[in-house]
Amino acid sequence: MSSEAPPPFRERMLGLLEPSQLMAMAISYYMRVCVEAVKRGEVLAPITQTAKIRDEAFARFWIAFSTARAAAPAPNAPETSTITEAEGPELVGSAALIPPLLRTASGVVLDIGPGTGSQMHLLRSPAITSIYGAEPCVGLHAELRAKAAAEGLEAKYHVLSCGAASSELLPALEATGTGIVDAHNRDRSGVFDTILCVRVLCSVPQMERTTRELYALLKPGGRLLVTEHVVNPWRTVKGSFLARAAQAIYMMFGWRYFIGDCCMDRDTEGALRRAADQDGGWESVQLERSFGWSALPYISGVLVKKTQ
């Protein structure tokens, strides 16, 4: 458990309003894309092509947001900064949870929902042999490939146009021609030594099923590295009823629709723990909770699959 103390009352109240700024920014990009479609003569696009409109709007928003966060990191934002301790100010808020975890990644790595690749600078360890980035938002792929090139990871990093579900992920892996899934297809021995879930399980469809499938793709002894915002544990001493109410309000007013299917109210920790039930549980689970006073409380840590 995290021992971090809540900030003063005024800062807690301001923190509860922080998601509204992100939502307003996302809505503005959505409206721009709708207007542009209408100007192109696609008058009904906002009604008949909602998936396309949402994908393009979210891609633009996320690129702009990631760039802004890289320049000025802020507490508890749902995307990490690319500034490292040696390059700029010390990371604060949820961004500080990520580097210690990702720097332990090794072997064959699956990076779920890497977005624009803002965490890629943490994956340059020689212990990593290859990285597969499963990013369903095609509009982010150019930024992701550019980031891989900038970090010298072009040869290691494979961009996949899919989500985390096995029905999408396995065909995408086979299409790379690397033979990475051959052993798994033959004897279900697993594929990855490390799987990264950083601010992504909030938006995957069918989270319970997805976490079980990710567990199955881990090799024996494989590690799942997690930093995720979750439903506020308001019934516990660490939680906040006010923050839980704020989550419900944001969801009611369209947070999920405008923020890439993100859900504020998922019991991600419970789903992760249950993912290994078929094998009698994980070898070890080391998860900490942080920011229980906020609308974006986090869990972070490592889950290790049994070797036998």
Side-chain angles (χ1 to χ4, degrees), residues 98-146:
I98 299 170
L101 278 176
L102 267 57
R103 288 185 177 130
T104 69
S106 61
V108 181
V109 176
L110 175 63
D111 191 2
I112 299 292
T116 58
S118 59
Q119 64 198 27
M120 205 178 297
H121 65 289
L122 301 170
L123 302 176
R124 295 180 294 202
S125 169
I128 296 175
T129 56
S130 59
I131 310 169
Y132 294 82
E135 177 50 65
C137 185
V138 178
L140 298 175
H141 285 190
E143 290 281 330
L144 188 55
R145 290 192 176 94

Side-chain angles (χ1 to χ4, degrees), residues 6-78:
F9 178 79
R10 181 175 179 276
E11 291 183 29
R12 293 203 303 273
M13 294 303 101
L14 291 175
L16 293 180
L17 296 175
E18 186 176 4
S20 66
Q21 300 171 1
L22 304 180
M23 192 168 171
M25 184 178 178
I27 291 173
S28 72
Y29 277 94
Y30 182 84
M31 296 303 297
R32 289 182 207 176
V33 172
C34 288
V35 170
E36 289 172 9
V38 171
K39 287 182 177 179
R40 291 194 303 265
E42 302 173 14
V43 180
L44 296 179
I47 299 174
T48 62
Q49 301 180 46
T50 54
K52 179 181 177 182
I53 294 290
R54 289 179 67 202
D55 187 75
E56 182 177 348
F58 179 72
R60 292 193 194 180
F61 156 70
W62 205 245
I63 290 170
F65 176 71
S66 299
T67 302
R69 287 302 171 191
N76 242 16

